[in-house]
């Protein structure tokens, strides 16, 4: 299965790396990511390929490990120097599952997409990384987030500078990706602003229009975000594609244990 049969190449010429259309795609994607912290490539996956990806994900869903956790928005250890109601300590509930990389069919289009050198180069060029590799982690390099009915991911900032996701299947209702752009900075935690959002202030909350087949590159370190509760029988399925600037990078055993219930 070639990348041409997986990606909607009529709209996204990811294989024509020397063409003007490819250069324009990289430039427009970089501009969007730089300006808003989000690059959305709708209809990135060809329809038949998306169907195969979804079917394979559903086949593997019994391998989902569910994480039911409580955390603060900063994903930092609890600090008793702050009041329990302070945004730095306030505990938020997350219920999400994940299918590990080694549970995915190696012959499926999703795995082939992730393992493609052209795909790695494409994402790396958008982000401006001359050195760019698929993650070397046997569980977390590529995974699928599973949100079953009432599953959600509470407000948080990411530890990583960027995340790459591919929407495979939307929820029947709910399951919206909401975010507040640039709510904090490297030097300012903005407890007042974060607290206002946690208290229900939605004045600056935006919704990312994710649809099945949408590839998303999102800068979540400074933009607080969440996935609202899923409703209906169909699970929300989102593939998470992880990369690094050096080859062989892996997650710690502790991270693997948290998200997949095992370290190897």
């Amino acid at each position: 299965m070639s990348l041409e049969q997986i990606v909607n190449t009529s709209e996204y010429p990811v294989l024509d790396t020397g063409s003007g259309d490819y250069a324009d795609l990289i430039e427009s994607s970089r501009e969007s990511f730089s300006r808003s912290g989000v690059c959305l490539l709708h209809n990135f996956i060809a329809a038949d390929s998306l169907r195969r990806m979804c079917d394979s994900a559903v086949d593997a869903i019994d391998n989902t490990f569910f994480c039911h956790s409580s955390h603060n928005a900063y994903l930092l250890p609890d600090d008793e120097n702050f009041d329990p109601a302070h945004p730095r300590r306030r505990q938020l509930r997350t219920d999400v599952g994940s299918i590990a990389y080694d549970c995915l069919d190696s012959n499926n289009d999703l795995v082939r997409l992730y393992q493609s050198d052209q795909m790695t180069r494409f994402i790396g060029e958008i982000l401006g990384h001359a050195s760019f590799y698929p993650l070397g982690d046997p569980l977390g390099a590529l995974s699928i987030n599973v949100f079953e009915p009432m599953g959600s991911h509470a407000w948080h900032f990411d530890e990583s500078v960027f995340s790459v996701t591919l929407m495979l299947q939307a929820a029947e209702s709910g399951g919206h990706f909401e975010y507040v752009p640039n709510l904090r900075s490297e030097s300012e935690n903005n407890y007042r602003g974060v607290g206002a959002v946690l208290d229900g202030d939605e004045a600056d909350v935006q919704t990312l229009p994710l649809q099945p087949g949408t590839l998303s590159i999102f800068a979540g370190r400074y933009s607080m975000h969440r996935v609202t509760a899923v409703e209906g029988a169909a699970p929300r399925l989102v593939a998470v594609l992880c990369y690094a600037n050096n080859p062989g990078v892996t997650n710690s055993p502790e991270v693997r244990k948290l998200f997949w219930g095992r370290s190897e």
Side-chain angles (χ1 to χ4, degrees):
M1 184 68 63
S2 70
L3 202 60
E4 191 171 13
Q5 296 171 287
I6 298 174
V7 175
N8 178 10
T9 53
S10 62
E11 188 171 350
Y12 300 103
V14 297
L15 299 178
D16 300 328
T17 55
S19 70
D21 288 342
Y22 181 85
D24 290 344
L25 174 59
I26 295 297
E27 182 179 358
S28 62
S29 299
R30 282 180 177 175
E31 191 279 331
S32 176
F33 187 76
S34 176
R35 171 177 45 82
S36 65
V38 181
C39 172
L40 288 184
L41 303 179
H42 295 294
N43 198 31
F44 185 77
I45 302 298
D48 287 345
S49 182
L50 180 61
R51 176 183 51 77
R52 289 191 293 268
M53 290 182 184
C54 288
D55 288 346
S56 182
V58 171
D59 287 344
I61 208 163
D62 286 344
N63 295 304
T64 305
F65 177 79
F66 285 93
C67 177
H68 307 286
S69 64
S70 179
H71 58 83
N72 57 61
Y74 298 91
L75 300 185
L76 293 172
D78 191 35
D79 187 341
E80 295 183 356
N81 290 313
F82 295 91
D83 185 271
H86 191 279
R88 174 60 181 76
R89 287 196 71 191
R90 197 177 311 184
Q91 293 299 294
L92 309 169
R93 178 75 176 182
T94 285
D95 297 283
V96 61
S98 182
I99 306 173
Y101 190 24
D102 64 355
C103 293
L104 303 178
D105 181 358
S106 60
N107 292 316
N108 181 252
D109 290 19
L110 178 61
V111 174
R112 293 181 184 276
L113 176 74
Y114 179 68
Q115 293 178 347
S116 164
D117 291 340
Q118 294 101 322
M119 182 65 178
T120 300
R121 172 180 174 176
F122 175 64
I123 301 296
E125 288 193 3
I126 291 175
L127 293 169
H129 295 293
S131 177
F132 206 62
Y133 303 88
L135 203 70
D137 196 275
L139 305 186
L142 170 66
S143 59
I144 299 177
N145 281 347
V146 179
F147 291 85
E148 291 196 328
M150 299 312 298
S152 65
H153 201 314
W155 286 114
H156 67 285
F157 296 98
D158 289 342
E159 295 177 330
S160 59
V161 176
F162 69 89
S163 62
V164 181
T165 63
L166 175 63
M167 174 67 81
L168 301 179
Q169 178 174 281
E172 293 178 12
S173 181
H176 302 299
F177 187 101
E178 297 181 341
Y179 71 108
V180 183
N182 302 314
L183 189 57
R184 71 167 181 176
S185 66
E186 192 68 36
S187 60
E188 174 55 58
N189 280 319
N190 190 12
Y191 292 135
R192 181 185 297 275
V194 170
V197 176
L198 298 183
D199 287 337
D201 183 353
E202 298 189 356
D204 295 320
V205 174
Q206 300 183 29
T207 300
L208 213 58
L210 297 175
Q211 305 157 353
T214 298
L215 184 76
S216 168
I217 307 176
F218 179 72
R221 178 176 287 184
Y222 305 117
S223 296
M224 192 166 74
H225 52 287
R226 70 175 177 180
V227 176
T228 64
V230 164
E231 301 173 13
R236 181 183 189 269
L237 303 174
V238 181
V240 182
L241 295 72
C242 296
Y243 300 91
N245 294 119
N246 296 296
V249 173
T250 65
N251 292 311
S252 68
E254 292 77 17
V255 167
R256 293 181 198 161
K257 187 75 172 177
L258 175 64
F259 290 108
W260 298 287
R262 53 195 170 97
S263 59
E264 58 184 32

